[in-house]
Amino acid sequence: ALIWRIERSLKIYPAWLHILVAKRMARVINKYAREYDVVHYHGHYPHVANYLPSDINLVVTHHDYSVSCPKKTFLKKEGHPCSPGIESRRCAECHLDAPDGFRKWLTRRGVEAWRSGARKAINRHKHIFVSRRLAELNLAVLGEKNAPVSVVHNFVDCRLIRGYVAGQCFKKPGDKKTRVIISNSMDPHKGIKEFLKVAAENDVLNEDVEIVIAGGGSQKAQLEAEYAAKGVVFLGHVPYAEVINAVCDADIYLLPSIWEESCSTGVLEGICLNKDVRALNRGGTPELAKYAVATSQLKLYDDMQSLAKSLTAKNVFRSDISMNTAFGACVAEKVEDILEVYRK
């Protein structure tokens, strides 16, 4: 949090401070690493791998673009995904809107230093990316397309979900509304603001469609003030059991993220509960079609307008069973994939 405040205050990317944090974390890990067969690190500091002995069985899992992007979202300031060949100069122009040439230069050098360390880290220890797309984009930026990394999708606790819903995930007789659930933070890269704007412009926010949003975020107060009167339900940040039951009550799980979503557990939850799942066709989301029970369950759209307008159609995927019994992204299945990486 302190480093982020320094970034915001000085409007530079101080990669050297982030690398110092990685060194401190590595020192702490190194005190205990020899007591374990595996050290599995999840976090925004892949450089930890550079400061641990190569004979320690270290596995680093990547959930976002922190390997290559200072903002971790791989998203331009105007809201469009970056290209795989993005240069450090372009990052310096985008990150925090540095107001002068000197701070742009400092940020560019920071990005270059961070990526140089990331290249070394990727080749020094084992790395897991939570989708093939996430790996491809990060490694393309680093110029390490052939790096020996693994891909293991995210997973959900199917037994926990089953206990929360108690098998009751069917539409109530006589209910003609299309009920839509979004479970995500209301932050810029999640696209909820853009989705609600487009939905309002296309008369999607009507009595036939109910949109429920579970989550907090920097844009929540603004969006609630603007759209609650138009029928959108804002649950706020609620316990996981309530999120799952909200998905259970819905007809459609919606993911309007405008960034290249790495591997959405919300999408996996929607598929697990046999819901109609809709999202933009980007990031790791298309890869999750392998877990769907039918080709019509996961619907992908090229733009926000197509996604929003799809809610007015009646082609909603429905299943006779409340949970996907052939779901392949439960903890039990994915643990085996992770153990295989441990043994390499």
Side-chain angles (χ1 to χ4, degrees):
L2 175 60
I3 296 177
W4 178 235
R5 287 199 296 272
I6 291 173
E7 284 192 39
R8 294 289 296 271
S9 174
L10 299 181
K11 292 189 179 296
I12 62 170
Y13 177 62
W16 306 275
L17 292 179
H18 290 290
I19 292 170
L20 281 175
V21 172
K23 288 181 178 179
R24 291 181 63 184
M25 294 177 70
R27 284 199 297 269
V28 174
I29 291 171
N30 202 33
K31 290 180 181 179
Y32 307 98
R34 303 274 178 202
E35 301 174 19
Y36 298 91
D37 298 314
V38 182
V39 175
H40 194 157
Y41 170 72
H42 296 252
H44 297 307
Y45 295 95
H47 295 65
V48 165
N50 292 332
Y51 307 109
L52 288 172
S54 58
D55 60 336
I56 287 176
N57 190 7
L58 174 70
V59 178
V60 180
T61 289
H62 303 272
H63 296 270
D64 59 21
Y65 299 92
S66 54
V67 170
S68 57
C69 173
K71 293 160 60 174
K72 304 178 179 62
T73 59
F74 207 64
L75 200 66
K76 297 175 185 175
K77 57 186 175 184
E78 61 269 21
H80 303 298
C82 292
S83 61
I86 191 71
E87 302 171 344
S88 57
R89 173 183 59 82
R90 298 282 300 280
C91 294
E93 293 171 356
C94 175
H95 187 59
L96 295 177
D97 290 323
D100 54 62
F102 178 65
R103 278 181 276 196
K104 283 185 172 68
W105 178 82
L106 279 177
T107 293
R108 178 179 178 178
R109 293 300 302 272
V111 172
E112 290 169 352
W114 181 263
R115 289 179 179 172
S116 176
R119 290 186 194 98
K120 180 181 175 183
I122 286 289
N123 289 286
R124 183 174 171 81
H125 282 283
K126 301 173 187 177
H127 293 260
I128 294 173
F129 288 83
V130 296
S131 69
R132 175 57 56 190
R133 179 63 173 168
L134 182 69
E136 288 173 350
L137 286 173
N138 274 305
L139 297 180
V141 172
L142 297 181
E144 295 287 341
K145 292 183 179 181
N146 297 317
V149 303
S150 301
V151 173
V152 180
H153 288 148
N154 283 333
F155 46 84
V156 296
D157 190 333
C158 297
R159 288 190 298 178
L160 187 64
I161 291 173
R162 189 177 294 112
Y164 286 152
V165 302
Q168 304 299 316
C169 267
F170 301 108
K171 193 169 184 67
K172 297 176 179 63
D175 185 357
K176 296 182 179 180
K177 270 193 175 183
T178 299
R179 302 186 184 277
V180 181
I181 178 68
I182 300 172
S183 60
N184 229 322
S185 64
M186 281 166 270
D187 292 309
H189 61 295
K190 294 299 184 177
I192 297 174
K193 180 179 179 179
E194 287 75 6
F195 164 74
L196 290 176
K197 180 177 183 292
V198 172
E201 291 171 349
N202 288 274
D203 196 30
V204 175
L205 305 181
N206 57 54
E207 60 184 13
D208 296 325
V209 178
E210 179 184 74
I211 296 174
V212 176
I213 304 176
S218 61
Q219 297 177 328
K220 179 181 178 295
Q222 174 196 349
L223 295 180
E224 189 167 11
E226 186 171 354
Y227 292 102
K230 298 179 182 180
V232 179
V233 178
F234 293 84
L235 300 180
H237 188 77
V238 295
Y240 185 58
E242 291 185 36
V243 174
I244 291 301
N245 277 285
V247 176
C248 179
D249 291 339
D251 300 300
I252 297 171
Y253 179 89
L254 193 78
L255 180 74
S257 289
I258 58 175
W259 74 316
E260 298 254 5
E261 189 84 42
S262 54
C263 183
S264 168
T265 52
V267 166
L268 291 175
E269 290 159 356
I271 293 174
C272 178
L273 289 169
N274 273 340
K275 297 300 174 181
D276 185 308
V277 180
R278 305 185 185 193
L280 292 178
N281 187 16
R282 58 182 61 171
T285 305
E287 298 172 36
L288 305 184
K290 65 184 286 186
Y291 304 113
V293 295
T295 55
S296 60
Q297 186 180 10
L298 176 58
K299 299 178 177 68
L300 301 171
Y301 299 86
D302 291 331
D303 55 72
M304 194 68 77
Q305 182 157 332
S306 300
L307 177 62
K309 292 176 73 173
S310 76
L311 301 180
T312 61
K314 299 299 181 184
N315 60 332
V316 177
F317 169 83
R318 301 193 190 283
S319 174
D320 294 332
I321 54 177
S322 61
M323 284 193 70
N324 182 347
T325 54
F327 190 58
C330 294
V331 174
E333 289 97 346
K334 292 303 176 183
V335 161
E336 289 303 318
D337 294 339
I338 294 171
L339 288 175
E340 185 178 333
V341 178
Y342 290 173
R343 299 185 190 107
K344 286 183 179 179

